[in-house]
Short mmCIF file of all heavy atoms in Angstrom, two decimals:
data_model
loop_
_atom_site.label_atom_id
_atom_site.label_comp_id
_atom_site.label_asym_id
_atom_site.label_seq_id
_atom_site.Cartn_x
_atom_site.Cartn_y
_atom_site.Cartn_z
N MET A 1236 18.61 23.88 -10.70
CA MET A 1236 17.80 22.91 -10.01
C MET A 1236 18.59 22.33 -8.83
O MET A 1236 19.69 21.88 -8.99
CB MET A 1236 17.37 21.80 -10.97
CG MET A 1236 16.57 20.74 -10.36
SD MET A 1236 15.98 19.69 -11.68
CE MET A 1236 15.48 18.29 -10.74
N ASN A 1237 18.02 22.37 -7.65
CA ASN A 1237 18.68 21.85 -6.44
C ASN A 1237 18.40 20.34 -6.30
O ASN A 1237 17.29 19.95 -6.06
CB ASN A 1237 18.20 22.60 -5.24
CG ASN A 1237 18.90 22.19 -3.97
OD1 ASN A 1237 19.71 21.26 -3.98
ND2 ASN A 1237 18.60 22.82 -2.87
N THR A 1238 19.44 19.54 -6.48
CA THR A 1238 19.27 18.10 -6.36
C THR A 1238 19.61 17.58 -4.96
O THR A 1238 19.54 16.38 -4.71
CB THR A 1238 20.12 17.35 -7.40
OG1 THR A 1238 21.50 17.71 -7.18
CG2 THR A 1238 19.69 17.70 -8.81
N ASN A 1239 19.95 18.50 -4.05
CA ASN A 1239 20.33 18.08 -2.67
C ASN A 1239 19.11 18.02 -1.73
O ASN A 1239 19.23 17.61 -0.61
CB ASN A 1239 21.37 19.05 -2.10
CG ASN A 1239 22.66 18.96 -2.87
OD1 ASN A 1239 22.99 17.89 -3.35
ND2 ASN A 1239 23.38 20.08 -2.98
N THR A 1240 17.95 18.49 -2.20
CA THR A 1240 16.77 18.46 -1.36
C THR A 1240 16.25 17.05 -1.27
O THR A 1240 16.04 16.38 -2.26
CB THR A 1240 15.67 19.35 -1.97
OG1 THR A 1240 16.20 20.67 -2.14
CG2 THR A 1240 14.45 19.44 -1.07
N PRO A 1241 16.09 16.55 -0.04
CA PRO A 1241 15.56 15.19 0.10
C PRO A 1241 14.16 15.07 -0.45
O PRO A 1241 13.35 15.96 -0.31
CB PRO A 1241 15.57 14.92 1.62
CG PRO A 1241 15.96 16.17 2.28
CD PRO A 1241 16.28 17.18 1.24
N ARG A 1242 13.90 13.94 -1.12
CA ARG A 1242 12.59 13.70 -1.69
C ARG A 1242 11.62 13.34 -0.55
O ARG A 1242 11.92 12.50 0.30
CB ARG A 1242 12.66 12.57 -2.68
CG ARG A 1242 11.38 12.36 -3.39
CD ARG A 1242 11.52 11.31 -4.43
NE ARG A 1242 10.23 11.04 -5.02
CZ ARG A 1242 10.01 10.63 -6.22
NH1 ARG A 1242 11.04 10.40 -7.00
NH2 ARG A 1242 8.81 10.43 -6.65
N ARG A 1243 10.45 13.97 -0.54
CA ARG A 1243 9.47 13.71 0.50
C ARG A 1243 8.49 12.63 0.01
O ARG A 1243 8.07 12.63 -1.11
CB ARG A 1243 8.71 15.00 0.82
CG ARG A 1243 9.60 16.08 1.41
CD ARG A 1243 8.82 17.32 1.67
NE ARG A 1243 7.65 17.08 2.48
CZ ARG A 1243 7.58 17.32 3.77
NH1 ARG A 1243 8.60 17.84 4.41
NH2 ARG A 1243 6.46 17.07 4.44
N GLY A 1244 8.15 11.76 0.93
CA GLY A 1244 7.16 10.73 0.63
C GLY A 1244 5.77 11.26 0.87
O GLY A 1244 5.57 12.40 1.31
N PRO A 1245 4.76 10.41 0.66
CA PRO A 1245 3.40 10.79 0.93
C PRO A 1245 3.19 11.13 2.40
O PRO A 1245 3.89 10.58 3.25
CB PRO A 1245 2.59 9.58 0.53
CG PRO A 1245 3.51 8.75 -0.30
CD PRO A 1245 4.89 9.09 0.13
N PRO A 1246 2.22 11.98 2.73
CA PRO A 1246 1.96 12.30 4.13
C PRO A 1246 1.61 11.04 4.93
O PRO A 1246 0.86 10.19 4.47
CB PRO A 1246 0.74 13.25 4.03
CG PRO A 1246 0.72 13.72 2.67
CD PRO A 1246 1.37 12.69 1.81
N GLY A 1247 2.18 10.92 6.10
CA GLY A 1247 1.94 9.79 6.99
C GLY A 1247 2.88 8.65 6.82
O GLY A 1247 2.83 7.68 7.61
N ILE A 1248 3.75 8.70 5.85
CA ILE A 1248 4.63 7.55 5.56
C ILE A 1248 5.54 7.21 6.74
O ILE A 1248 5.97 6.06 6.91
CB ILE A 1248 5.42 7.75 4.25
CG1 ILE A 1248 5.94 6.39 3.74
CG2 ILE A 1248 6.54 8.74 4.43
CD1 ILE A 1248 6.39 6.40 2.32
N GLU A 1249 5.83 8.20 7.58
CA GLU A 1249 6.74 7.96 8.72
C GLU A 1249 6.09 7.00 9.71
O GLU A 1249 6.81 6.37 10.54
CB GLU A 1249 7.12 9.26 9.41
CG GLU A 1249 5.98 10.02 10.04
CD GLU A 1249 5.19 10.89 9.06
OE1 GLU A 1249 5.56 10.99 7.89
OE2 GLU A 1249 4.18 11.44 9.50
N LEU A 1250 4.79 6.76 9.64
CA LEU A 1250 4.09 5.84 10.57
C LEU A 1250 3.80 4.48 9.91
O LEU A 1250 3.24 3.62 10.57
CB LEU A 1250 2.77 6.48 11.01
CG LEU A 1250 2.87 7.82 11.71
CD1 LEU A 1250 1.50 8.41 11.93
CD2 LEU A 1250 3.62 7.68 13.03
N ALA A 1251 4.20 4.32 8.67
CA ALA A 1251 3.79 3.14 7.91
C ALA A 1251 4.24 1.83 8.57
O ALA A 1251 3.44 0.90 8.69
CB ALA A 1251 4.33 3.21 6.48
N ASN A 1252 5.47 1.71 8.98
CA ASN A 1252 5.96 0.44 9.55
C ASN A 1252 5.25 0.07 10.85
O ASN A 1252 4.89 -1.07 11.06
CB ASN A 1252 7.47 0.48 9.75
CG ASN A 1252 8.24 0.46 8.46
OD1 ASN A 1252 7.76 -0.09 7.46
ND2 ASN A 1252 9.41 0.99 8.44
N VAL A 1253 5.05 1.07 11.72
CA VAL A 1253 4.38 0.82 12.99
C VAL A 1253 2.93 0.38 12.75
O VAL A 1253 2.46 -0.58 13.34
CB VAL A 1253 4.44 2.06 13.87
CG1 VAL A 1253 3.57 1.95 15.11
CG2 VAL A 1253 5.89 2.39 14.23
N ASN A 1254 2.25 1.12 11.89
CA ASN A 1254 0.83 0.80 11.62
C ASN A 1254 0.67 -0.53 10.89
O ASN A 1254 -0.25 -1.28 11.20
CB ASN A 1254 0.17 1.92 10.83
CG ASN A 1254 0.01 3.17 11.63
OD1 ASN A 1254 -0.01 3.16 12.85
ND2 ASN A 1254 -0.06 4.32 10.94
N ARG A 1255 1.57 -0.83 10.00
CA ARG A 1255 1.46 -2.11 9.26
C ARG A 1255 1.68 -3.26 10.21
O ARG A 1255 0.97 -4.29 10.14
CB ARG A 1255 2.54 -2.14 8.12
CG ARG A 1255 2.61 -3.44 7.36
CD ARG A 1255 1.28 -3.84 6.76
NE ARG A 1255 1.35 -5.12 6.11
CZ ARG A 1255 1.08 -6.29 6.72
NH1 ARG A 1255 0.73 -6.31 7.99
NH2 ARG A 1255 1.15 -7.43 6.04
N ALA A 1256 2.60 -3.15 11.13
CA ALA A 1256 2.87 -4.21 12.09
C ALA A 1256 1.68 -4.43 13.01
O ALA A 1256 1.42 -5.52 13.51
CB ALA A 1256 4.10 -3.90 12.92
N ALA A 1257 0.91 -3.37 13.27
CA ALA A 1257 -0.25 -3.44 14.16
C ALA A 1257 -1.54 -3.85 13.42
O ALA A 1257 -2.57 -4.09 14.07
CB ALA A 1257 -0.45 -2.11 14.85
N PHE A 1258 -1.50 -3.96 12.10
CA PHE A 1258 -2.71 -4.26 11.33
C PHE A 1258 -3.16 -5.68 11.65
O PHE A 1258 -2.36 -6.61 11.60
CB PHE A 1258 -2.44 -4.11 9.83
CG PHE A 1258 -3.68 -4.01 9.00
CD1 PHE A 1258 -4.33 -2.81 8.88
CD2 PHE A 1258 -4.21 -5.12 8.36
CE1 PHE A 1258 -5.49 -2.70 8.09
CE2 PHE A 1258 -5.34 -5.03 7.58
CZ PHE A 1258 -5.99 -3.80 7.44
N PRO A 1259 -4.42 -5.90 11.96
CA PRO A 1259 -4.92 -7.24 12.33
C PRO A 1259 -4.74 -8.27 11.21
O PRO A 1259 -5.19 -8.05 10.08
CB PRO A 1259 -6.41 -7.00 12.63
CG PRO A 1259 -6.53 -5.55 12.88
CD PRO A 1259 -5.46 -4.89 12.04
N LEU A 1260 -4.08 -9.37 11.50
CA LEU A 1260 -3.82 -10.40 10.50
C LEU A 1260 -5.10 -10.97 9.91
O LEU A 1260 -5.15 -11.29 8.73
CB LEU A 1260 -2.97 -11.51 11.10
CG LEU A 1260 -1.53 -11.10 11.49
CD1 LEU A 1260 -0.80 -12.28 12.10
CD2 LEU A 1260 -0.76 -10.57 10.27
N GLU A 1261 -6.14 -11.10 10.70
CA GLU A 1261 -7.39 -11.69 10.18
C GLU A 1261 -7.99 -10.79 9.08
O GLU A 1261 -8.74 -11.30 8.21
CB GLU A 1261 -8.39 -11.96 11.29
CG GLU A 1261 -8.87 -10.74 12.07
CD GLU A 1261 -7.98 -10.35 13.25
OE1 GLU A 1261 -6.90 -10.96 13.48
OE2 GLU A 1261 -8.35 -9.41 13.94
N GLN A 1262 -7.66 -9.52 9.10
CA GLN A 1262 -8.20 -8.63 8.05
C GLN A 1262 -7.43 -8.78 6.73
O GLN A 1262 -7.86 -8.28 5.70
CB GLN A 1262 -8.17 -7.19 8.52
CG GLN A 1262 -9.19 -6.91 9.60
CD GLN A 1262 -9.25 -5.45 9.98
OE1 GLN A 1262 -8.93 -4.57 9.17
NE2 GLN A 1262 -9.67 -5.19 11.19
N LEU A 1263 -6.31 -9.48 6.77
CA LEU A 1263 -5.53 -9.71 5.55
C LEU A 1263 -5.94 -11.00 4.80
O LEU A 1263 -5.58 -11.17 3.66
CB LEU A 1263 -4.02 -9.80 5.87
CG LEU A 1263 -3.41 -8.52 6.42
CD1 LEU A 1263 -1.96 -8.78 6.80
CD2 LEU A 1263 -3.49 -7.40 5.39
N ILE A 1264 -6.71 -11.85 5.46
CA ILE A 1264 -7.12 -13.14 4.85
C ILE A 1264 -7.73 -12.94 3.47
O ILE A 1264 -7.36 -13.68 2.54
CB ILE A 1264 -8.01 -13.92 5.81
CG1 ILE A 1264 -7.23 -14.36 7.04
CG2 ILE A 1264 -8.65 -15.13 5.12
CD1 ILE A 1264 -8.05 -14.94 8.17
N PRO A 1265 -8.65 -12.03 3.26
CA PRO A 1265 -9.24 -11.90 1.87
C PRO A 1265 -8.22 -11.48 0.82
O PRO A 1265 -8.49 -11.60 -0.36
CB PRO A 1265 -10.29 -10.78 2.05
CG PRO A 1265 -10.52 -10.67 3.53
CD PRO A 1265 -9.27 -11.12 4.17
N PHE A 1266 -7.07 -11.00 1.22
CA PHE A 1266 -6.05 -10.51 0.29
C PHE A 1266 -4.90 -11.46 0.07
O PHE A 1266 -3.95 -11.16 -0.68
CB PHE A 1266 -5.50 -9.14 0.78
CG PHE A 1266 -6.60 -8.13 0.95
CD1 PHE A 1266 -7.06 -7.82 2.21
CD2 PHE A 1266 -7.17 -7.52 -0.14
CE1 PHE A 1266 -8.07 -6.88 2.39
CE2 PHE A 1266 -8.17 -6.56 0.03
CZ PHE A 1266 -8.61 -6.26 1.30
N GLU A 1267 -4.96 -12.65 0.69
CA GLU A 1267 -3.86 -13.60 0.54
C GLU A 1267 -3.67 -13.99 -0.92
O GLU A 1267 -4.64 -14.27 -1.64
CB GLU A 1267 -4.10 -14.87 1.36
CG GLU A 1267 -3.99 -14.59 2.84
CD GLU A 1267 -4.36 -15.79 3.72
OE1 GLU A 1267 -4.89 -16.77 3.21
OE2 GLU A 1267 -4.13 -15.70 4.93
N GLY A 1268 -2.42 -13.92 -1.40
CA GLY A 1268 -2.11 -14.25 -2.79
C GLY A 1268 -2.36 -13.09 -3.74
O GLY A 1268 -2.29 -13.24 -4.97
N LYS A 1269 -2.62 -11.89 -3.21
CA LYS A 1269 -2.88 -10.71 -4.03
C LYS A 1269 -1.93 -9.61 -3.67
O LYS A 1269 -1.29 -9.60 -2.62
CB LYS A 1269 -4.31 -10.21 -3.79
CG LYS A 1269 -5.38 -11.21 -4.22
CD LYS A 1269 -6.76 -10.60 -3.96
CE LYS A 1269 -7.83 -11.58 -4.37
NZ LYS A 1269 -9.15 -11.04 -4.11
N TYR A 1270 -1.85 -8.64 -4.55
CA TYR A 1270 -1.11 -7.40 -4.28
C TYR A 1270 -2.13 -6.40 -3.72
O TYR A 1270 -3.30 -6.38 -4.13
CB TYR A 1270 -0.51 -6.84 -5.56
CG TYR A 1270 0.64 -7.64 -6.06
CD1 TYR A 1270 0.47 -8.74 -6.91
CD2 TYR A 1270 1.97 -7.34 -5.68
CE1 TYR A 1270 1.52 -9.52 -7.35
CE2 TYR A 1270 3.02 -8.10 -6.11
CZ TYR A 1270 2.80 -9.20 -6.94
OH TYR A 1270 3.86 -9.96 -7.38
N VAL A 1271 -1.69 -5.56 -2.82
CA VAL A 1271 -2.53 -4.53 -2.26
C VAL A 1271 -1.83 -3.18 -2.28
O VAL A 1271 -0.61 -3.11 -2.35
CB VAL A 1271 -2.93 -4.85 -0.79
CG1 VAL A 1271 -3.72 -6.17 -0.72
CG2 VAL A 1271 -1.73 -4.90 0.15
N ALA A 1272 -2.64 -2.14 -2.23
CA ALA A 1272 -2.16 -0.78 -2.08
C ALA A 1272 -2.65 -0.23 -0.74
O ALA A 1272 -3.85 -0.26 -0.48
CB ALA A 1272 -2.68 0.09 -3.23
N TRP A 1273 -1.71 0.16 0.08
CA TRP A 1273 -2.01 0.71 1.40
C TRP A 1273 -2.04 2.23 1.35
O TRP A 1273 -1.34 2.83 0.54
CB TRP A 1273 -0.90 0.33 2.39
CG TRP A 1273 -0.77 -1.11 2.73
CD1 TRP A 1273 -0.01 -2.05 2.11
CD2 TRP A 1273 -1.39 -1.78 3.81
NE1 TRP A 1273 -0.13 -3.24 2.72
CE2 TRP A 1273 -0.98 -3.10 3.78
CE3 TRP A 1273 -2.29 -1.38 4.81
CZ2 TRP A 1273 -1.41 -4.06 4.72
CZ3 TRP A 1273 -2.71 -2.32 5.75
CH2 TRP A 1273 -2.26 -3.64 5.68
N THR A 1274 -2.78 2.83 2.27
CA THR A 1274 -2.62 4.26 2.48
C THR A 1274 -1.18 4.47 2.89
O THR A 1274 -0.50 3.55 3.35
CB THR A 1274 -3.53 4.77 3.61
OG1 THR A 1274 -3.27 3.99 4.80
CG2 THR A 1274 -5.00 4.67 3.23
N ALA A 1275 -0.68 5.68 2.72
CA ALA A 1275 0.74 5.94 3.01
C ALA A 1275 1.09 5.66 4.46
O ALA A 1275 2.22 5.32 4.76
CB ALA A 1275 1.09 7.40 2.66
N ASP A 1276 0.11 5.77 5.36
CA ASP A 1276 0.39 5.47 6.77
C ASP A 1276 0.09 4.02 7.15
O ASP A 1276 0.18 3.63 8.28
CB ASP A 1276 -0.35 6.44 7.69
CG ASP A 1276 -1.88 6.29 7.59
OD1 ASP A 1276 -2.37 5.48 6.81
OD2 ASP A 1276 -2.56 7.06 8.28
N SER A 1277 -0.29 3.21 6.16
CA SER A 1277 -0.55 1.77 6.31
C SER A 1277 -1.66 1.47 7.33
O SER A 1277 -1.62 0.49 8.06
CB SER A 1277 0.71 1.00 6.69
OG SER A 1277 1.65 1.03 5.64
N THR A 1278 -2.69 2.29 7.32
CA THR A 1278 -3.83 2.03 8.20
C THR A 1278 -5.01 1.37 7.46
O THR A 1278 -5.86 0.78 8.08
CB THR A 1278 -4.35 3.31 8.87
OG1 THR A 1278 -4.66 4.28 7.87
CG2 THR A 1278 -3.34 3.85 9.85
N ARG A 1279 -5.00 1.48 6.13
CA ARG A 1279 -6.09 0.91 5.32
C ARG A 1279 -5.57 0.39 4.00
O ARG A 1279 -4.63 0.94 3.43
CB ARG A 1279 -7.18 1.96 5.00
CG ARG A 1279 -7.95 2.45 6.17
CD ARG A 1279 -9.06 3.42 5.78
NE ARG A 1279 -8.58 4.52 4.98
CZ ARG A 1279 -9.08 4.89 3.81
NH1 ARG A 1279 -10.06 4.29 3.27
NH2 ARG A 1279 -8.56 5.92 3.16
N ILE A 1280 -6.22 -0.64 3.50
CA ILE A 1280 -5.94 -1.14 2.15
C ILE A 1280 -6.94 -0.42 1.21
O ILE A 1280 -8.15 -0.48 1.44
CB ILE A 1280 -6.10 -2.66 2.08
CG1 ILE A 1280 -4.99 -3.33 2.91
CG2 ILE A 1280 -6.06 -3.15 0.62
CD1 ILE A 1280 -5.10 -4.83 3.04
N LEU A 1281 -6.40 0.20 0.19
CA LEU A 1281 -7.21 1.02 -0.73
C LEU A 1281 -7.68 0.22 -1.97
O LEU A 1281 -8.71 0.49 -2.55
CB LEU A 1281 -6.44 2.22 -1.19
CG LEU A 1281 -6.05 3.20 -0.07
CD1 LEU A 1281 -5.10 4.24 -0.63
CD2 LEU A 1281 -7.27 3.83 0.54
N ALA A 1282 -6.83 -0.73 -2.41
CA ALA A 1282 -7.17 -1.50 -3.61
C ALA A 1282 -6.35 -2.79 -3.58
O ALA A 1282 -5.35 -2.89 -2.87
CB ALA A 1282 -6.81 -0.70 -4.86
N SER A 1283 -6.81 -3.76 -4.31
CA SER A 1283 -6.08 -5.03 -4.45
C SER A 1283 -6.23 -5.56 -5.88
O SER A 1283 -7.06 -5.07 -6.65
CB SER A 1283 -6.62 -6.06 -3.45
OG SER A 1283 -7.95 -6.40 -3.75
N GLY A 1284 -5.43 -6.56 -6.19
CA GLY A 1284 -5.51 -7.16 -7.52
C GLY A 1284 -4.56 -8.31 -7.66
O GLY A 1284 -3.67 -8.53 -6.78
N ALA A 1285 -4.70 -9.05 -8.74
CA ALA A 1285 -3.86 -10.17 -9.00
C ALA A 1285 -2.41 -9.80 -9.31
O ALA A 1285 -1.48 -10.57 -9.10
CB ALA A 1285 -4.38 -11.00 -10.15
N ASP A 1286 -2.24 -8.56 -9.81
CA ASP A 1286 -0.89 -8.02 -10.12
C ASP A 1286 -0.92 -6.52 -9.90
O ASP A 1286 -1.96 -5.94 -9.63
CB ASP A 1286 -0.43 -8.38 -11.52
CG ASP A 1286 -1.41 -7.93 -12.61
OD1 ASP A 1286 -2.04 -6.86 -12.46
OD2 ASP A 1286 -1.55 -8.65 -13.62
N LEU A 1287 0.26 -5.91 -9.99
CA LEU A 1287 0.37 -4.47 -9.74
C LEU A 1287 -0.37 -3.63 -10.79
O LEU A 1287 -0.88 -2.55 -10.46
CB LEU A 1287 1.80 -4.05 -9.61
CG LEU A 1287 2.54 -4.59 -8.39
CD1 LEU A 1287 4.00 -4.23 -8.44
CD2 LEU A 1287 1.89 -4.04 -7.12
N ILE A 1288 -0.44 -4.12 -11.99
CA ILE A 1288 -1.18 -3.41 -13.03
C ILE A 1288 -2.64 -3.29 -12.66
O ILE A 1288 -3.27 -2.24 -12.77
CB ILE A 1288 -0.98 -4.06 -14.43
CG1 ILE A 1288 0.48 -3.94 -14.83
CG2 ILE A 1288 -1.90 -3.47 -15.43
CD1 ILE A 1288 0.85 -4.77 -16.05
N GLU A 1289 -3.23 -4.41 -12.20
CA GLU A 1289 -4.62 -4.40 -11.78
C GLU A 1289 -4.85 -3.49 -10.59
O GLU A 1289 -5.83 -2.74 -10.52
CB GLU A 1289 -5.11 -5.80 -11.46
CG GLU A 1289 -6.56 -5.90 -11.10
CD GLU A 1289 -7.03 -7.32 -10.86
OE1 GLU A 1289 -6.26 -8.27 -11.03
OE2 GLU A 1289 -8.20 -7.44 -10.48
N VAL A 1290 -3.92 -3.48 -9.66
CA VAL A 1290 -4.02 -2.61 -8.48
C VAL A 1290 -4.02 -1.17 -8.89
O VAL A 1290 -4.87 -0.40 -8.48
CB VAL A 1290 -2.89 -2.90 -7.44
CG1 VAL A 1290 -2.96 -1.89 -6.31
CG2 VAL A 1290 -2.97 -4.33 -6.94
N GLU A 1291 -3.11 -0.80 -9.78
CA GLU A 1291 -3.05 0.59 -10.26
C GLU A 1291 -4.33 0.99 -11.00
O GLU A 1291 -4.84 2.09 -10.83
CB GLU A 1291 -1.82 0.83 -11.14
CG GLU A 1291 -0.60 0.97 -10.31
CD GLU A 1291 0.55 1.71 -11.01
OE1 GLU A 1291 0.30 2.31 -12.09
OE2 GLU A 1291 1.65 1.72 -10.48
N LYS A 1292 -4.87 0.07 -11.82
CA LYS A 1292 -6.13 0.37 -12.52
C LYS A 1292 -7.24 0.62 -11.49
O LYS A 1292 -8.06 1.54 -11.69
CB LYS A 1292 -6.50 -0.78 -13.44
CG LYS A 1292 -5.69 -0.86 -14.70
CD LYS A 1292 -6.13 -2.01 -15.58
CE LYS A 1292 -5.25 -2.13 -16.80
NZ LYS A 1292 -5.62 -3.31 -17.60
N ASN A 1293 -7.29 -0.18 -10.45
CA ASN A 1293 -8.31 -0.01 -9.42
C ASN A 1293 -8.15 1.29 -8.69
O ASN A 1293 -9.10 1.95 -8.32
CB ASN A 1293 -8.31 -1.20 -8.47
CG ASN A 1293 -8.76 -2.49 -9.14
OD1 ASN A 1293 -9.48 -2.48 -10.12
ND2 ASN A 1293 -8.34 -3.62 -8.57
N LEU A 1294 -6.91 1.67 -8.43
CA LEU A 1294 -6.65 2.96 -7.75
C LEU A 1294 -7.11 4.12 -8.60
O LEU A 1294 -7.82 5.02 -8.12
CB LEU A 1294 -5.15 3.11 -7.43
CG LEU A 1294 -4.61 2.24 -6.33
CD1 LEU A 1294 -3.08 2.29 -6.36
CD2 LEU A 1294 -5.15 2.65 -4.97
N VAL A 1295 -6.68 4.10 -9.85
CA VAL A 1295 -7.07 5.18 -10.78
C VAL A 1295 -8.58 5.27 -10.93
O VAL A 1295 -9.19 6.36 -10.90
CB VAL A 1295 -6.36 5.02 -12.13
CG1 VAL A 1295 -6.89 6.01 -13.17
CG2 VAL A 1295 -4.84 5.19 -12.00
N GLY A 1296 -9.21 4.10 -11.01
CA GLY A 1296 -10.66 4.06 -11.13
C GLY A 1296 -11.35 4.66 -9.90
O GLY A 1296 -12.47 5.17 -10.00
N ALA A 1297 -10.70 4.57 -8.75
CA ALA A 1297 -11.25 5.13 -7.51
C ALA A 1297 -10.79 6.58 -7.31
O ALA A 1297 -11.12 7.17 -6.27
CB ALA A 1297 -10.79 4.28 -6.33
N GLY A 1298 -10.04 7.13 -8.28
CA GLY A 1298 -9.61 8.52 -8.14
C GLY A 1298 -8.42 8.71 -7.21
O GLY A 1298 -8.21 9.81 -6.69
N ILE A 1299 -7.62 7.65 -7.02
CA ILE A 1299 -6.49 7.72 -6.13
C ILE A 1299 -5.18 7.73 -6.91
O ILE A 1299 -5.03 6.94 -7.82
CB ILE A 1299 -6.49 6.51 -5.15
CG1 ILE A 1299 -7.78 6.52 -4.32
CG2 ILE A 1299 -5.26 6.52 -4.24
CD1 ILE A 1299 -8.02 5.23 -3.54
N ASP A 1300 -4.28 8.63 -6.55
CA ASP A 1300 -2.99 8.77 -7.24
C ASP A 1300 -2.11 7.55 -6.85
O ASP A 1300 -1.75 7.42 -5.69
CB ASP A 1300 -2.34 10.06 -6.80
CG ASP A 1300 -1.00 10.32 -7.47
OD1 ASP A 1300 -0.44 9.40 -8.11
OD2 ASP A 1300 -0.48 11.41 -7.32
N PRO A 1301 -1.74 6.69 -7.79
CA PRO A 1301 -0.95 5.51 -7.48
C PRO A 1301 0.43 5.82 -6.91
O PRO A 1301 1.05 4.97 -6.28
CB PRO A 1301 -0.77 4.82 -8.84
CG PRO A 1301 -1.94 5.27 -9.67
CD PRO A 1301 -2.19 6.71 -9.20
N SER A 1302 0.92 7.04 -7.06
CA SER A 1302 2.23 7.40 -6.49
C SER A 1302 2.13 7.75 -5.00
O SER A 1302 3.15 7.98 -4.38
CB SER A 1302 2.84 8.58 -7.26
OG SER A 1302 2.14 9.77 -6.97
N GLN A 1303 0.94 7.78 -4.45
CA GLN A 1303 0.77 8.18 -3.07
C GLN A 1303 0.39 7.02 -2.17
O GLN A 1303 -0.15 7.23 -1.06
CB GLN A 1303 -0.32 9.28 -2.96
CG GLN A 1303 0.04 10.52 -3.70
CD GLN A 1303 1.30 11.17 -3.15
OE1 GLN A 1303 1.38 11.50 -2.00
NE2 GLN A 1303 2.29 11.33 -4.02
N VAL A 1304 0.67 5.78 -2.57
CA VAL A 1304 0.34 4.61 -1.80
C VAL A 1304 1.57 3.72 -1.63
O VAL A 1304 2.57 3.90 -2.32
CB VAL A 1304 -0.81 3.81 -2.46
CG1 VAL A 1304 -2.05 4.65 -2.61
CG2 VAL A 1304 -0.39 3.20 -3.77
N LEU A 1305 1.46 2.74 -0.78
CA LEU A 1305 2.50 1.73 -0.60
C LEU A 1305 1.97 0.39 -1.10
O LEU A 1305 0.80 0.08 -0.87
CB LEU A 1305 2.87 1.61 0.88
CG LEU A 1305 3.36 2.88 1.56
CD1 LEU A 1305 3.58 2.64 3.04
CD2 LEU A 1305 4.64 3.36 0.89
N TYR A 1306 2.79 -0.35 -1.80
CA TYR A 1306 2.39 -1.62 -2.37
C TYR A 1306 3.01 -2.79 -1.60
O TYR A 1306 4.12 -2.70 -1.11
CB TYR A 1306 2.84 -1.70 -3.82
CG TYR A 1306 2.19 -0.65 -4.71
CD1 TYR A 1306 2.83 0.54 -4.94
CD2 TYR A 1306 0.96 -0.86 -5.28
CE1 TYR A 1306 2.24 1.52 -5.74
CE2 TYR A 1306 0.36 0.08 -6.07
CZ TYR A 1306 1.01 1.26 -6.30
OH TYR A 1306 0.42 2.24 -7.08
N GLU A 1307 2.23 -3.90 -1.55
CA GLU A 1307 2.72 -5.08 -0.87
C GLU A 1307 2.03 -6.30 -1.44
O GLU A 1307 0.84 -6.27 -1.80
CB GLU A 1307 2.41 -4.99 0.64
CG GLU A 1307 2.89 -6.20 1.41
CD GLU A 1307 2.54 -6.17 2.90
OE1 GLU A 1307 1.82 -5.23 3.35
OE2 GLU A 1307 2.98 -7.07 3.62
N PHE A 1308 2.76 -7.42 -1.51
CA PHE A 1308 2.17 -8.72 -1.88
C PHE A 1308 1.84 -9.41 -0.55
O PHE A 1308 2.72 -9.54 0.30
CB PHE A 1308 3.12 -9.55 -2.70
CG PHE A 1308 2.56 -10.89 -3.05
CD1 PHE A 1308 1.56 -11.03 -3.98
CD2 PHE A 1308 3.03 -12.02 -2.41
CE1 PHE A 1308 1.03 -12.27 -4.30
CE2 PHE A 1308 2.49 -13.27 -2.71
CZ PHE A 1308 1.52 -13.39 -3.64
N ILE A 1309 0.61 -9.85 -0.41
CA ILE A 1309 0.21 -10.58 0.80
C ILE A 1309 0.31 -12.07 0.47
O ILE A 1309 -0.46 -12.62 -0.27
CB ILE A 1309 -1.24 -10.25 1.21
CG1 ILE A 1309 -1.46 -8.73 1.33
CG2 ILE A 1309 -1.64 -10.97 2.47
CD1 ILE A 1309 -0.61 -8.05 2.41
N ALA A 1310 1.37 -12.68 1.01
CA ALA A 1310 1.64 -14.06 0.72
C ALA A 1310 0.63 -14.98 1.39
O ALA A 1310 0.18 -14.74 2.52
CB ALA A 1310 3.06 -14.44 1.23
N PRO A 1311 0.21 -16.05 0.70
CA PRO A 1311 -0.66 -17.03 1.31
C PRO A 1311 0.07 -17.82 2.39
O PRO A 1311 1.29 -17.89 2.35
CB PRO A 1311 -1.09 -17.94 0.14
CG PRO A 1311 -0.09 -17.71 -0.92
CD PRO A 1311 0.54 -16.35 -0.68
N PRO A 1312 -0.67 -18.36 3.33
CA PRO A 1312 0.03 -19.12 4.38
C PRO A 1312 0.72 -20.37 3.79
O PRO A 1312 0.26 -20.90 2.79
CB PRO A 1312 -1.07 -19.52 5.35
CG PRO A 1312 -2.35 -19.29 4.62
CD PRO A 1312 -2.08 -18.33 3.50
N VAL A 1313 1.76 -20.77 4.42
CA VAL A 1313 2.53 -21.92 3.96
C VAL A 1313 2.04 -23.18 4.63
O VAL A 1313 1.71 -23.28 5.74
CB VAL A 1313 4.05 -21.72 4.26
CG1 VAL A 1313 4.82 -22.95 3.78
CG2 VAL A 1313 4.55 -20.50 3.56
#
């Protein structure tokens, strides 16, 4: 088994930081205080929940592989 091969992330992950920074803040308001699952390129929120367990349940229920998304907590405004 070759352990020197770099692990590949989900398709589009190389654009995640750029796309997340460009995501409109007003579209995050409904998710404040929740965890979200982003597409690998961070262009869309696929699921949300009060905790990561709920987010994963919502992903699986929608037929989405939880290992192919990015997770983030959307903090409420201070």
Side-chain angles (χ1 to χ4, degrees):
M1236 179 171 163
N1237 183 356
T1238 58
N1239 295 328
T1240 305
R1242 185 175 175 152
R1243 296 178 54 100
I1248 199 164
E1249 64 277 355
L1250 302 173
N1252 288 334
V1253 172
N1254 291 336
R1255 174 59 184 90
F1258 197 83
L1260 293 178
E1261 62 273 4
Q1262 290 185 26
L1263 294 176
I1264 292 171
F1266 303 103
E1267 289 175 350
K1269 296 181 181 179
Y1270 289 87
V1271 298
W1273 292 91
T1274 56
D1276 64 359
S1277 294
T1278 56
R1279 291 184 308 127
I1280 293 175
L1281 299 171
S1283 66
D1286 55 35
L1287 291 174
I1288 294 170
E1289 184 178 355
V1290 175
E1291 282 202 10
K1292 285 180 184 177
N1293 292 336
L1294 289 168
V1295 171
I1299 300 168
D1300 181 349
S1302 72
Q1303 298 299 302
V1304 302
L1305 302 175
Y1306 297 94
E1307 179 183 7
F1308 178 74
I1309 307 298
V1313 179

